[in-house]
Amino acid sequence: MTLNLVSHWTPSHAEFAEFARISGDDNPIHLDDGVYAIGGFPRPVAHGMLIYARLWAMLREERPMARPELHMLVFPNPCYAGEEVLLQVTQEEEGAPILLRAIRRIDDSELLIGELEVQ
């Protein structure tokens, strides 16, 4: 069975705060209006694992019994609130790695590139 799942998502500051509360990752780069600038970012940055959680939810909706065995994730560019993101989950054939991508729509920057093996 192949996969070709596509979704669009526009993250919000409220989601950043809720993810920080749930995960315990309260790094101020995600939440504090002053700290992100020190890191050279124009506004707060999404948690990388929040992006991954959105992709994982897409996969679990299609394959509810999927269990992760191996994750390889890279976050080459920041994801900001208010900017639309294209989410993709693909698999060419059964047994092949599942490919994950998150792309900022305004400039096609890759925000997450990943490979996932599931049982």
Side-chain angles (χ1 to χ4, degrees), residues 23-52:
S23 69
D25 181 354
D26 59 359
N27 183 328
I29 197 166
H30 305 300
L31 306 169
D32 190 302
D33 285 339
V35 173
Y36 61 83
I38 295 170
F41 300 106
R43 50 195 175 281
V45 178
H47 301 76
M49 295 310 288
L50 172 58
I51 303 167
Y52 172 73

Side-chain angles (χ1 to χ4, degrees), residues 9 11 19-20 31-32 34 43 46 69 71 80 108 112 116:
W9 168 53
F19 189 82
L31 306 169
D32 190 302
R43 50 195 175 281
E69 288 188 343
H71 300 88
Y80 303 113
D108 292 328
L112 179 150
L116 176 63

Side-chain angles (χ1 to χ4, degrees), residues 5 13 24 46 48 90:
L5 309 175
H13 290 286
T90 60

Side-chain angles (χ1 to χ4, degrees), residues 46-100:
H47 301 76
M49 295 310 288
L50 172 58
I51 303 167
Y52 172 73
R54 299 292 301 214
L55 291 159
W56 178 249
M58 289 169 61
L59 176 62
R60 286 296 300 269
E61 188 172 311
E62 183 73 18
R63 296 189 182 165
M65 300 306 291
R67 299 289 179 261
E69 288 188 343
L70 178 66
H71 300 88
M72 293 179 283
L73 305 172
V74 178
F75 303 93
N77 292 291
C79 176
Y80 303 113
E83 293 186 348
E84 184 181 9
V85 177
L86 172 67
L87 301 171
Q88 300 173 319
V89 179
T90 60
Q91 183 181 38
E92 291 185 17
E93 61 186 44
E94 188 67 35
I98 296 170
L99 304 178
L100 308 172

